[in-house]
Amino acid sequence: MSSVFNKIKDNVTEGVRENQEDAIKRGAGAGKRTILIWGIAIIVLVTVPTYAGDYVLNVMILMLLYMALGQMWNLLGGYAGLVSLGQQSFIGIGGYALAIVSQKYGLPALLAFGIAAGVSVVFALVISIPIFKMQGVYFTIGTWIVSECLALWFSTWAWANYAQGYNITITYQMTATHIYYVALAIGVGSLIVVFFILRSRLGLALMAMRDNESAAEVRGVELYRTKLKCFLISACVTGVAGAGIYLQQAFIQPTNAFGISWTVSMVFMVVIGGLGTVEGPIIGAVIYVVLRQVLYNFPGISMVILGIIAIAIILLAPKGIMGIFGRRVTIDIFSVRRK
Amino acid sequence: MSELLRVEDLSIAFGNNQVLKGLSFEVNENEVLGIIGPNGAGKTVLLNILTGILKPDSGRIIYQGEDIAKTKIVERTYMGIGRTFQVPRSFEGMSVYENVMIGGVCGRQMTEKEAGAGADKILAQINMADKRDLLAGTLGLLDRKRLEIGVALASKPRLLLIDEAAGGLTESEVVSIIDIVRGAKEQGVTIIWIEHVLQTMIEGTDRTLCVAEGRNVICGNPRDVMDSPEVHAVYLGTEEDYADEGAGADNDIAKTGTAQALPPQDKTLLEISGLNVLHGDLQAIHDVSMRIERGHIVSIIGANGAGKSTLLNTVMGIHNPAGGTIVFEGDDITGKRTSAIAEKGLAMTPEGSRVFADMTVTENLLMGAYLPAAKKAKTEQLEKVFEMFPVLKEKSEQLASFLSGGQRQMLSIARAIMMNPKVVICDEISLGLAPVVIQDIYAKLKELNEQGLTFILVEQEIKRSLRHSDYSYVMVKGRIVLEGKSSELSRSDVSDAYFGINRFA
């Protein structure tokens, strides 16, 4: 019996090894193919507005923006071991930056994106001082509390128009195509940020932290600084994406802008897509946005269905969708592997 | 040769447990210092202190002439202190090559290009150039152990700390590890090597230090240390230690008498045949067969990593065997659920007692009567247990965390007895306890045994095991190498099997 067992085990090990070797062989000739795939993807994405209607365009906008949010949450939760439930702080900051800059002061919206990025980073740096003293689940709860405080503060803050919030009328002057290009820039931008981080020295340290934090520290990875960098980068891009989201939504209110449901959707996307992978949030964002559109037809039970799907995927594929097929095929287009 | 590291009077305690008690030693530049010692001697704790993971309560660590006690983990890496982990902690989602790069990029602030070139040299050195692009998660145990050393070497350490690189490997694999360590020494690295595979000490180290109970026992030429009476005493115990523990021989004869009166099929309580257990790639138990007779005390002796705890856990259904059968009172219990096995009358006191620290003594005992059959009889059983262990009655309303180490061990045994078992399996009940306390515990076991309870004792100390048991098995590297009536086994037979002297004499 033990010999049969061993044989099966050998076969499995061998199978995994073959997959790896295949991936490496494919990787060797991947240069040209990668460029080709990227080229096609960019052409398709840039030309979408020429052949797609407003509905498709709006769905694409959501996918791109949510993908950016997912990428940023993945940077924290998937790599740096920082499980945050407070990323909505930065969405709110981004959204309010847009509302206040364009609506209150009538300044160009482009400026709002810069302010969203800057304020998010500064705010993240300030709250990191107390928040980073907390470990594990306390960090998670701490980030959430910060968001709840922001929601309360904005509700009572005259400058932010109390709980009434703002109508962002600049949206009505823009077509879906305009907003789509903004979303495309944010989505692709977030991907480029993540890709370059992972290809840099910081990325090497992050991947080591993802796999084993205590071992990484002994190997010379400065956990505090690495985590802080991720937190700031994530805050910056999430803030910009927040501004993008409210450019489409056209109405902002504190309880909505600083609500936890933003981060819940980020976690959903990343976990079903595949934690700690670049592809995971992309797959997750596509699935999440499509599901949400479909589930609009089932008001009342839509959240229940979403929850059941999330539980089913976690049970069947604990490492997300990338975990199932990452073993059989390696998607080379986002390969951050060093050769 | 100049001195690279000096450890002075290092002490650390975890709660009641004083793990290091004034350990001192020094390592010279480009020397390989081996450290051996039984389980619980404080070896891994020492490495954790040297790398900054733990802070010592007192003592000094002088590295390159400076006291580094206040420096952080990463700073020590930058200073040139590298280490490997006992259970390899490779970065599983990264390729072998990327794993090695971590050492250079993060540990020595190299650019990726420099680290990459260095990584290829190291891969050649650890014989893993052909596995360069495999994910570390797909590697076998030997490769992971080699990779551990490779990643540590990539940060160009001056001092390399190795925590059990040879544990769980076959002999030819051990040789390849020794070669890698020798290669590192030739490059000028100073090495501290903790190991249970004693062969590596003789072939791979310049000097060997034996540590026991947090103190240095002896230090010197590896072969002399291995042959020294002090080291044998640490592993096997000395005559004096047991002089007042009472002779067991008289009782043995009486008991064997009663057991022989039973018909043969009733005599055997537990029978293990042809058991094989795997931990991932590592075969922890090879073809082990045992017979435990009713009313006996059977001891299983073996060094750390011999597979004793794995064997017990397999009997209790915590691990599933890859082959073989376990029969208890005629029923096949192989691969059954742990709760079902416990219900049949097998109880276990786990290594380190594992009492429920935040519950009172009584609550702990009631947890032992959790199964339905035991629950019914819990009041009477509780009385009986308190009668047997008066000290527990005294402290019945106190939290278990306030008990001393010996009292916790008593509680652990009492908790096992609460379910009215037929066999109690005791995993290292004397570990970390003072000799007087150990005497008390063994006296209790003897008392319980006389009332008909069967015991399986797992011990590292040979002499004590032989003295207190009816029958003994000696395990080395997952196999039974020697068995027999405890009264007939001589200490030298056991010690030969234990130290494996013949294999590398």
Side-chain angles (χ1 to χ4, degrees):
Chain A
M1 191 192 155
S2 80
S3 70
V4 173
F5 185 87
N6 279 330
K7 204 166 180 186
I8 294 169
K9 199 173 65 95
D10 286 349
N11 282 341
V12 171
T13 328
E14 200 48 44
V16 172
R17 243 165 235 166
E18 274 168 17
N19 285 337
Q20 286 297 323
E21 277 154 20
D22 285 353
I24 288 152
K25 276 178 211 148
R26 278 203 310 272
K32 271 184 195 160
R33 224 181 53 181
T34 306
I35 294 169
L36 190 68
I37 294 174
W38 267 109
I40 293 170
I42 288 171
I43 290 168
V44 168
L45 285 171
V46 169
T47 54
V48 165
T50 59
Y51 52 79
D54 273 6
Y55 176 76
V56 173
L57 223 45
N58 276 313
V59 169
M60 291 289 292
I61 292 167
L62 283 177
M63 281 179 185
L64 287 162
L65 292 172
Y66 272 90
M67 194 270 290
L69 297 180
Q71 289 292 358
M72 291 304 123
W73 192 85
N74 188 32
L75 205 54
L76 297 178
Y79 288 95
L82 295 170
V83 180
S84 163
L85 279 183
Q87 289 303 94
Q88 63 273 25
S89 298
F90 308 111
I91 292 181
I93 288 174
Y96 268 99
L98 178 74
I100 291 170
V101 166
S102 74
Q103 201 64 33
K104 196 176 169 93
Y105 294 110
L107 296 168
L110 197 62
L111 186 66
F113 286 93
I115 290 175
V119 174
S120 294
V121 170
V122 171
F123 184 70
L125 194 61
V126 172
I127 61 163
S128 76
I129 298 163
I131 291 277
F132 271 50
K133 290 198 167 67
M134 305 178 196
Q135 303 278 319
V137 69
Y138 297 98
F139 174 87
T140 306
I141 294 168
T143 53
W144 184 10
I145 288 171
V146 168
S147 302
E148 292 298 310
C149 291
L150 282 178
L152 282 174
W153 181 30
F154 273 69
S155 303
T156 55
W157 195 14
W159 195 60
N161 205 16
Y162 304 111
Q164 291 160 11
Y166 287 101
N167 274 311
I168 302 167
T169 50
I170 184 181
T171 306
Y172 308 127
Q173 300 155 23
M174 296 173 86
T175 62
T177 309
H178 288 139
I179 300 175
Y180 173 79
Y181 283 121
V182 173
L184 185 62
I186 294 171
V188 173
S190 75
L191 206 54
I192 292 171
V193 167
V194 167
F195 189 75
F196 278 97
I197 288 174
L198 292 181
R199 289 302 301 243
S200 74
R201 297 157 55 98
L202 178 62
L204 206 58
L206 275 177
M207 282 190 273
M209 276 167 68
R210 169 196 66 191
D211 287 348
N212 193 325
E213 199 170 291
S214 64
E217 189 174 20
V218 170
R219 301 289 176 234
V221 176
E222 281 201 76
L223 300 183
Y224 188 94
R225 264 166 59 182
T226 312
K227 287 181 178 192
L228 185 60
K229 279 181 197 164
C230 281
F231 194 60
L232 298 184
I233 293 168
S234 172
C236 176
V237 179
T238 306
V240 172
I245 284 171
Y246 280 99
L247 190 62
Q248 194 200 23
Q249 292 211 349
F251 175 63
I252 190 164
Q253 234 190 351
T255 45
N256 181 300
F258 296 106
I260 195 173
S261 58
W262 291 115
T263 304
V264 172
S265 26
M266 294 178 210
V267 178
F268 180 91
M269 287 185 286
V270 175
V271 169
I272 64 170
L275 204 63
T277 62
V278 184
E279 299 88 347
I282 303 176
I283 299 171
V286 171
I287 292 175
Y288 178 71
V289 171
V290 168
L291 271 178
R292 250 187 35 173
Q293 297 303 315
V294 174
L295 291 175
Y296 276 136
N297 302 321
F298 306 94
I301 54 162
S302 63
M303 294 311 276
V304 177
I305 298 174
L306 213 56
I308 291 171
I309 291 171
I311 293 168
I313 293 182
I314 290 167
L315 287 177
L316 297 174
K319 287 184 175 170
I321 289 166
M322 271 308 289
I324 313 174
F325 88 148
R327 286 184 111 177
R328 267 157 241 149
V329 286
T330 308
I331 303 174
D332 293 322
I333 40 171
F334 300 118
S335 176
V336 289
R337 216 149 271 312
R338 284 152 176 87
K339 295 265 159 46
Chain B
M1 271 200 294
S2 64
E3 183 182 278
L4 182 69
L5 176 83
R6 193 166 77 244
V7 169
E8 285 175 4
D9 215 18
L10 214 54
S11 294
I12 189 169
F14 299 107
N16 277 335
N17 190 6
Q18 186 77 35
V19 175
L20 292 184
K21 303 168 189 163
L23 183 68
S24 303
F25 65 90
E26 74 295 315
V27 194
N28 292 323
E29 205 86 58
N30 203 16
E31 182 186 36
V32 182
L33 174 74
I35 299 185
I36 57 168
N39 203 350
K43 304 182 300 295
T44 298
V45 167
L46 170 69
L47 287 202
N48 285 341
I49 291 176
L50 291 181
T51 45
I53 296 170
L54 292 172
K55 296 262 170 284
D57 298 334
S58 65
R60 299 206 303 161
I61 305 161
I62 315 289
Y63 174 70
Q64 296 179 318
E66 273 174 63
D67 191 339
I68 57 165
K70 289 215 168 65
T71 52
K72 284 188 278 181
I73 298 175
V74 283
E75 286 167 346
R76 296 197 197 184
T77 310
Y78 302 154
M79 272 178 211
I81 300 179
R83 81 169 286 184
T84 73
F85 290 93
Q86 186 172 0
V87 178
R89 296 193 188 170
S90 358
F91 304 113
E92 300 192 347
M94 303 169 77
S95 71
V96 167
Y97 174 67
E98 287 172 328
N99 265 273
V100 179
M101 270 179 81
I102 289 280
V105 170
C106 300
R108 273 291 144 128
Q109 311 293 317
M110 291 181 209
T111 64
E112 284 206 17
K113 213 168 178 185
E114 291 164 354
D120 278 321
K121 273 187 210 138
I122 283 165
L123 288 178
Q125 194 183 338
I126 59 173
N127 296 321
M128 286 183 72
D130 53 329
K131 293 173 176 133
R132 183 180 185 274
D133 293 318
L134 292 179
L135 285 191
T138 64
L139 297 177
L141 185 69
L142 172 65
D143 284 337
R144 280 175 187 236
K145 295 247 177 192
R146 290 201 282 211
L147 182 57
E148 279 284 300
I149 301 179
V151 178
L153 285 177
S155 62
K156 297 202 184 303
R158 287 194 70 181
L159 176 64
L160 175 61
L161 312 170
I162 302 177
D163 197 356
E164 306 220 10
L169 299 181
T170 66
E171 274 171 50
S172 64
E173 289 171 341
V174 169
V175 171
S176 84
I177 294 282
I178 293 175
D179 284 344
I180 291 170
V181 175
R182 278 185 182 152
K185 179 191 152 89
E186 275 163 29
Q187 293 174 349
V189 182
T190 309
I191 295 161
I192 296 180
W193 190 358
I194 288 178
E195 199 60 79
H196 276 295
V197 180
L198 303 176
Q199 172 198 4
T200 56
M201 291 293 112
I202 291 184
E203 292 179 12
T205 69
D206 300 322
R207 218 155 43 99
T208 298
L209 167 71
C210 176
V211 179
E213 291 175 359
R215 290 194 190 90
N216 15 355
V217 176
I218 186 171
C219 186
N221 174 292
R223 195 170 288 270
D224 296 345
V225 166
M226 231 53 99
D227 292 339
S228 71
E230 288 91 340
V231 167
H232 282 236
V234 162
Y235 279 92
L236 314 176
T238 58
E239 290 295 340
E240 302 86 75
D241 283 350
Y242 306 98
D244 45 359
E245 279 189 26
D250 305 341
N251 294 335
D252 292 348
I253 294 159
K255 221 167 358 145
T256 326
T258 48
Q260 269 160 0
L262 291 164
Q265 68 268 30
D266 285 353
K267 251 169 70 177
T268 304
L269 190 62
L270 180 70
E271 187 153 22
I272 298 169
S273 25
L275 200 68
N276 284 295
V277 184
L278 302 168
H279 284 326
D281 286 324
L282 164 69
Q283 181 150 10
I285 303 284
H286 295 265
D287 197 23
V288 162
S289 299
M290 283 185 182
R291 236 185 63 203
I292 314 289
E293 290 192 12
R294 208 180 282 276
H296 267 189
I297 296 182
V298 176
S299 68
I300 302 172
I301 311 168
N304 205 350
K308 307 179 305 283
S309 292
T310 304
L311 177 66
L312 300 191
N313 286 336
T314 311
V315 170
M316 290 306 294
I318 298 168
H319 297 313
N320 273 326
T325 54
I326 304 165
V327 176
F328 182 68
E329 289 196 309
D331 294 334
D332 189 347
I333 57 164
T334 324
K336 286 253 167 67
R337 271 181 303 121
T338 304
S339 57
I341 292 172
E343 217 154 352
K344 288 206 174 293
L346 277 121
M348 180 159 155
T349 71
E351 189 181 333
S353 77
R354 307 252 179 98
V355 295
F356 305 112
D358 289 335
M359 293 165 82
T360 66
V361 168
T362 310
E363 283 168 341
N364 263 279
L365 290 172
L366 291 177
M367 284 308 289
Y370 193 75
L371 287 168
K375 218 169 202 164
K376 273 184 214 146
K378 68 179 177 191
T379 342
E380 301 127 54
Q381 201 67 16
L382 196 61
E383 262 170 49
K384 209 170 120 192
V385 163
F386 278 146
E387 203 176 300
M388 244 179 291
F389 298 93
V391 61
L392 295 182
K393 186 167 189 179
E394 241 169 70
K395 310 217 167 205
S396 60
E397 294 312 312
Q398 284 192 22
L399 290 186
S401 53
F402 293 130
L403 299 182
S404 71
Q407 289 163 345
R408 282 177 195 219
Q409 208 51 264
M410 296 265 193
L411 177 56
S412 182
I413 296 166
R415 185 178 58 186
I417 288 167
M418 279 300 287
M419 61 177 254
N420 202 10
K422 289 167 183 148
V423 186
V424 178
I425 302 174
C426 302
D427 197 357
E428 311 245 3
I429 45 171
S430 62
L431 191 68
L433 298 180
V436 193
V437 179
I438 299 174
Q439 282 176 33
D440 278 358
I441 288 173
Y442 271 94
K444 279 287 175 236
L445 289 191
K446 195 124 265 175
E447 221 175 277
L448 291 164
N449 177 241
E450 275 158 17
Q451 295 170 16
L453 196 58
T454 307
F455 279 97
I456 302 175
L457 303 181
V458 163
E459 275 288 353
Q460 287 196 50
E461 287 192 39
I462 297 174
K463 188 72 193 171
R464 176 173 292 132
S465 302
L466 291 181
R467 183 177 284 271
H468 290 285
S469 62
D470 302 297
Y471 201 86
S472 292
Y473 293 91
V474 180
M475 285 182 79
V476 173
K477 285 186 175 177
R479 293 170 210 274
I480 291 181
V481 292
L482 186 69
E483 63 174 287
K485 282 192 178 151
S486 303
S487 50
E488 288 166 11
L489 287 178
S490 80
R491 190 180 144 177
S492 63
D493 289 345
V494 181
S495 108
D496 281 359
Y498 203 97
F499 281 99
I501 306 271
N502 301 329
R503 233 173 305 141
F504 52 89

